[in-house]
Amino acid sequence: MTTAAAARSDRRISPVFLGIVAVMAVSGWAVWTDFAEQPGFAIFLFVTAAWVVSLCLHEYAHARTALHSGDVSIGAKGYLTLNPLAYTHALLSIVLPVLFVILGGIGLPGGAVFIERGRISGRWKHSLISAAGPLTNVLFAVVCTAPFWLHALDGVPSGFQYALAFLALLQVTAAILNFVPVPGLDGYGVIEPWLSYRIRRQVEPFAPFGLLAVFGLLWIPEVNTVFFDAIHSLLQALDVSEFHTYCGFDAYQFWQKPNPACSVG
């Protein structure tokens, strides 16, 4: 009886996560209805809250896949409650990704859940656990871009369109960057089970720096330009224009002087 109750509590959605969802819903409503006196601040809250929700679901996907793959310790760690405060590295999971968005409009989640890999057998299971997170971002990207490629935005306020386009940009960049096979990112986790023991031992010391190395590369203007040109080409194919994503980031940084071309209303 006690064990069953504990198991249920391990999976009960955290009030912290529900609070973040509430902020996303209320700020999204404010953007949609033009209720906010400061639409930029409402867009900032909406996109940031939605981004944190996607981070929580990204980590939940890792944890849930690990649970079904054999790591039964996942529940006791609190990973199935969607509580971002339960993650092993809150700095990597929440703080840095939000800072990346604020400073550069880059969606880059960090690894956070600690999985006891020794409990899991089979290379395919290990690869799937790593892939589950960025696949969640792919799903988010599909949801965010769907109103554009379904041409379902007639009558939707421009501010909400801009916010949705910027959020789509974040999800697409998160999915692509996380699949890069760099130590510390999920892409490396996908291929790691298939590498020799010697290579894995040689690469292991670099894992803590993989996330920062990728972010550092994106600050190089030439690399940044090539990368975002590719991202915008992909979004353009989904009917999300670069103008919409640019105006979304412009409105998101409400503390900056707004671009007159990106009127919100």
Side-chain angles (χ1 to χ4, degrees), residues 72-204:
V72 294
S73 71
I74 287 294
K77 296 185 177 79
Y79 297 154
L80 301 178
T81 66
L82 292 164
N83 183 0
L85 302 179
Y87 298 148
T88 306
H89 300 294
L91 176 66
L92 288 177
S93 296
I94 303 297
V95 178
L96 282 182
V98 170
L99 283 177
F100 292 162
V101 172
I102 292 173
L103 295 176
I106 301 172
L108 187 60
V113 295
F114 175 71
I115 297 168
E116 296 184 19
R117 296 278 183 172
R119 294 174 178 263
I120 300 166
S121 61
R123 290 183 291 184
W124 282 108
K125 290 181 180 179
H126 287 282
S127 294
L128 184 58
I129 290 168
S130 295
L135 286 175
T136 304
N137 295 111
V138 172
L139 180 59
F140 255 88
V142 171
V143 171
C144 291
T145 58
F148 292 92
W149 47 265
L150 289 175
H151 306 290
L153 290 171
D154 290 341
V156 175
S158 59
F160 193 84
Q161 294 187 41
Y162 297 157
L164 202 59
F166 180 49
L167 191 56
L169 173 77
L170 296 179
Q171 298 301 331
V172 170
T173 57
I176 291 177
L177 289 174
N178 258 272
F179 273 125
V180 174
V182 171
L185 296 181
D186 293 325
Y188 177 75
V190 172
I191 66 170
E192 184 183 24
W194 307 89
L195 301 176
S196 68
Y197 177 76
R198 180 179 61 83
I199 293 177
R200 280 183 281 144
R201 285 298 301 271
Q202 290 176 339
V203 171
E204 187 176 358

Side-chain angles (χ1 to χ4, degrees), residues 229-252:
D229 281 349
I231 294 294
H232 287 304
S233 295
L234 176 58
L235 287 170
Q236 188 70 47
L238 297 169
D239 290 329
V240 182
S241 70
E242 187 173 351
F243 174 78
H244 275 80
T245 55
Y246 170 79
C247 287
F249 186 44
D250 183 75
Y252 179 80

